[in-house]
Amino acid sequence: MAKKAVLIGALDTKGEEFLFVKTRLESCGVETFVIDTGVLGDPRFAPDISSVEVAKAGGMALAELRSLNDRGTAVAVMTRGAAQIMTAIQEQGIVGGVFGMGGTAGTTVAASALQALPIGVPKILVSTVASGNTRPYVGVKDIMMMYSVVDIAGINRLSRTILSNAAYALAGMIQQRESEQEATEDKVTLGITMFGVTTPCATRVRETLEAKGYDLLVFHATGTGGLAMEELIRAGYIKGVADITTTELADELVGGIFSAGPTRLEAAGQARIPQVVSVGALDMVNFGPPETVPEQFKGRTFYQHNPTTTLMRTTVEENRELGRILARKLNESAAPTVVIFPKGGVSLLDMTSKAFEGTQERQALYEGIKHNLRADITLLVMEQDINDAAVADTIAQHLLNMLEKETR
């Protein structure tokens, strides 16, 4: 079946705009497939999948939604249904790329469908809220959000240009993907976590593994980075991990802005893929500008990384608890696991004469790990700091050894 540009949105209130985009895509030679998520009235033009079907997939009849006349319930039902429908047509091989648009409600519904798709499928979402906090809509997927500038209400001089640009962008992505005859690669894909303060280590590990023929994905450990890596692990995309930078655990424990949630550091163990884990950047918790740091932390040690990022040094007790957390998570792992502990420092800031130098904090972190880690999990202590070449080489070599053993 030929892959098509899938348009998803409310054809009752945004039918004119969707018809405009549909026409633009078809003028580029791209076939379209339309999913209607409108609840209030009849669609402006006939879709391929009706809002009756979407509502049913979301758990309610469309007639019941209309009779309830409750916007919140309608959005929740159509959001669930949109994701279910998109998953189903993706499995049928229909989806070449997806276009969605709307205000807050339309963006929410469309985003759920786009997030249901694999990474790599072109996704464009034109939205009135794209200039604000887009994390709820993008999540950990490669969704391109375009700010509509004006409300999506008719075709006018400005909306015509913006919607045309979005349509042409999607057409280009779909057609380019179809025209490329990519050679099948047999490379095994691995994941690495990195922060600015662990870059030397991560870079050397990446280069070493690439030289051995592996394909490396590097994730910035800012919350979404850890989430994205672990989603790809669960999807079977990543076959081994150098989890150098586990700093997201500190933000989850203390309340920073870069938490990856309570299940961080669990995916590799559950997927039974080899993992080498270290303690990169557990010396810090991340906040925004100085004025955003909660009052409860007044008097702590801070470092202004840049105007929008304030780093706070973790305490001795926090480090001891972080060690316990890391160990307990790894104890649940069914995967080959090695822990590398660099006694000389866990980041570029946790070194002699640097802002977060902390011998006692590192010792507490080490004790938290050692006293709680399963006896059969290797804990290797090194005298150097995490960015020393010897540490990077040790991480890379242990992961290589485990990967080679897996293939025997």
Side-chain angles (χ1 to χ4, degrees), residues 3 85-96 98 116-118 121:
K3 292 186 181 293
I85 294 291
M86 190 63 73
T87 299
I89 65 171
Q90 166 67 13
E91 291 172 353
Q92 293 168 22
I94 294 172
V95 183
V98 185
L117 293 168
V121 175

Side-chain angles (χ1 to χ4, degrees), residues 229-268:
M229 182 182 75
E230 299 205 328
E231 176 159 324
L232 289 170
I233 290 171
R234 292 186 177 98
Y237 199 82
I238 292 174
K239 303 301 184 184
V241 180
D243 207 343
I244 295 164
T245 312
T246 46
T247 185
E248 290 154 323
L249 297 178
D251 281 57
E252 172 68 12
L253 173 67
V254 183
I257 62 173
F258 287 162
S259 167
T263 63
R264 176 71 173 91
L265 203 63
E266 297 175 12

Side-chain angles (χ1 to χ4, degrees), residues 316-338:
V316 169
E317 189 47 50
E318 287 166 354
N319 273 274
R320 185 170 286 109
E321 182 59 22
L322 286 168
R324 295 189 193 109
I325 291 170
L326 185 145
R328 288 167 183 166
K329 285 178 177 287
L330 296 182
N331 287 347
E332 299 300 316
S333 172
T337 302
V338 172

Side-chain angles (χ1 to χ4, degrees), residues 35 189 267:
I35 303 171
T189 299

Side-chain angles (χ1 to χ4, degrees), residues 79 116 208:
T79 296
T208 301

